[in-house]
Amino acid sequence: MVQGATNWNTELTQEWLQNYVDDWVSFYRKHTVDGNVASYIPILQEANRDHLGISIVGKNGMTIRSGDFEVPFTIQSISKVFSFIVACMGRGLSYVLDRVDVEPTGEAFNSIMHLEMTQLKKPFNPMINAGAITVTSMLEGRTSDEKLEPVFQLLERMLDYRPHLNVDAYESERDSSMRNRAIGYYLLETGYLESDLNITLETYFKQCSIEVTLEDLARIGMIIANDGEDPNNKEEIIPRQVARLAKALMLTCGMYDASGKFAAYVGVPAKSGVSGGIIALSPPRVRDEELPFVTGCGIGVYGPALDDKGNSIAGIRLLRHIANQWDLSLF
Ligand code: GLN
């Protein structure tokens, strides 16, 4: 049974928090039956619908892992955060923001409709497919591998290892993703693509197919929470201004057309992907009482059963519960 409100002033030891999180994961695992795994990318159907896992990494190094935290998965739309960061670092913020806006859409992540309705405007934001494909076209390099190299380098700097590309996932999306091709052609017609269409789409499908674990997402989230600085060695990995913009975009646009509700009820920057992964983060917060992870943390959640918006159904509920229990909300 999930516990009621707790006085966190008592003991914030890892073991104490771990017990709570274990309890919450087994409670919310039952909610996976309310969702379905994604099927429009055939390989994603192979995921186990019952999986639910979480990893939380604090700025002070405290780490909590629970449930199916060891299952690797592809980052899908979570990659939109990384390609945006890399494009801003390579091209400069104003170059990128001249070509993609920072406004939530209220439409599904793969919507074409709003592009057509606002024909003369740039894509709404880098967290939906149209904006992300535009951002990917801005990555420097002639081939998809050249374009992705700085994305891999960024991830490697944060994780101390180089994540790999899941080639089967890449091929599965490449061979099935007609809607993204349609978005690509539309962007080509309206003049927003900065690179060849096929190379841009190949790069986009590959960035979505980078494989990670929850601990990777939690660690990256923790660095973004810390304004782009790795607290272990004080190294600036992402310029502060870019990290802040990424957080704002995650908060306002990161959960597709459920972003408003997520901001209201969970209240932390987050980005989800149709594989069932979510990266979330809690920046340092000032409160009168002692609270778990008060100096900031990154959170990775994985639960491939999705709701009708394409977000992990049990993952969102678990995150909401933890955010409420630990007072993680920014508001
Ligand atoms: N690769 C997926 C797509 O473009 C990513 C979408 C998602 O995670 N929402 O359709």
Side-chain angles (χ1 to χ4, degrees):
M1 196 41 207
V2 171
Q3 298 88 346
T6 305
N7 176 6
W8 297 108
N9 275 317
T10 44
E11 265 192 275
L12 294 177
T13 63
Q14 179 154 351
E15 200 190 347
W16 171 261
L17 296 176
Q18 178 75 50
N19 287 337
Y20 275 97
V21 174
D22 285 343
D23 215 9
W24 297 335
V25 168
S26 50
F27 180 83
Y28 284 101
R29 189 190 297 281
K30 296 181 203 117
H31 291 225
T32 55
V33 296
D34 297 337
N36 287 304
V37 297
S39 56
Y40 75 101
I41 300 173
I43 204 168
L44 295 180
Q45 285 182 85
E46 292 170 18
N48 184 337
R49 182 170 106 138
D50 302 333
H51 276 163
L52 181 66
I54 189 165
S55 176
I56 307 169
V57 173
K59 185 178 165 185
N60 58 5
M62 187 195 278
T63 302
I64 309 273
R65 316 170 173 92
S66 191
D68 302 297
F69 65 89
E70 280 169 319
V71 178
F73 56 93
T74 55
I75 55 178
Q76 299 300 333
S77 275
I78 296 170
S79 68
K80 291 167 175 154
V81 179
F82 311 140
S83 51
F84 173 72
I85 289 172
V86 167
C88 291
M89 288 169 72
R91 300 276 190 176
L93 268 180
S94 54
Y95 185 96
V96 175
L97 297 181
D98 275 349
R99 290 159 180 82
V100 62
D101 217 331
V102 290
E103 284 300 334
T105 64
E107 298 292 338
F109 67 88
N110 55 2
S111 169
I112 301 183
M113 185 184 71
H114 68 271
L115 274 179
E116 226 188 336
M117 282 169 59
T118 55
Q119 221 179 89
L120 299 174
K121 284 208 196 141
K122 49 195 176 187
F124 276 89
N125 70 69
M127 301 291 125
I128 52 162
N129 290 16
I133 293 170
T134 304
V135 167
T136 297
S137 81
M138 287 183 237
L139 297 176
E140 290 167 279
R142 282 166 301 124
T143 63
S144 59
D145 291 335
E146 277 180 26
K147 284 177 176 295
L148 280 182
E149 183 53 30
V151 175
F152 277 107
Q153 281 174 12
L154 175 76
L155 295 174
E156 192 171 357
R157 281 185 76 195
M158 295 194 273
L159 301 176
D160 293 331
Y161 87 100
R162 189 180 167 100
H164 80 277
L165 180 78
N166 181 325
V167 177
D168 293 338
Y170 160 62
E171 290 177 353
S172 182
E173 181 163 14
R174 180 198 61 195
D175 298 341
S176 61
S177 191
M178 300 312 145
R179 183 179 278 260
N180 282 327
R181 289 186 193 279
I183 292 174
Y185 277 107
Y186 197 87
L187 292 168
L188 187 62
E189 192 203 70
T190 48
Y192 275 105
L193 283 194
E194 299 275 298
S195 306
D196 170 81
L197 171 64
N198 286 321
I199 290 178
T200 299
L201 287 172
E202 192 177 299
T203 312
Y204 174 75
F205 298 145
K206 283 186 178 173
Q207 74 179 51
C208 290
S209 304
I210 296 172
E211 196 167 273
V212 294
T213 64
L214 284 179
E215 199 134 330
D216 296 337
L217 289 188
R219 191 165 156 65
I220 295 167
M222 186 269 291
I223 291 171
I224 300 176
N226 200 36
D227 282 342
E229 185 188 280
D230 185 340
N232 294 341
N233 52 19
K234 302 266 175 270
E235 205 183 320
E236 180 185 278
I237 297 186
I238 303 164
R240 174 179 284 248
Q241 213 190 352
V242 176
R244 287 195 172 161
L245 196 48
K247 280 186 274 196
L249 284 165
M250 289 166 78
L251 184 75
T252 53
C253 315
M255 304 299 283
Y256 317 130
D257 42 332
S259 299
K261 283 197 179 58
F262 191 86
Y265 298 119
V266 187
V268 299
K271 180 76 202 84
S272 61
V274 284
S275 52
I278 304 175
I279 183 171
L281 56 96
S282 168
R285 53 208 200 282
V286 184
R287 300 281 198 275
D288 289 338
E289 48 181 338
E290 225 4 81
L291 288 167
F293 295 100
V294 78
T295 55
C297 66
I299 305 176
V301 177
Y302 174 66
L306 307 179
D307 61 20
D308 56 354
K309 308 277 188 203
N311 293 316
S312 172
I313 195 158
I316 286 200
R317 294 175 190 176
L318 175 65
L319 263 176
R320 177 176 173 167
H321 187 80
I322 294 181
N324 287 333
Q325 286 287 324
W326 293 355
D327 200 11
L328 296 182
S329 171
L330 300 179
F331 309 107

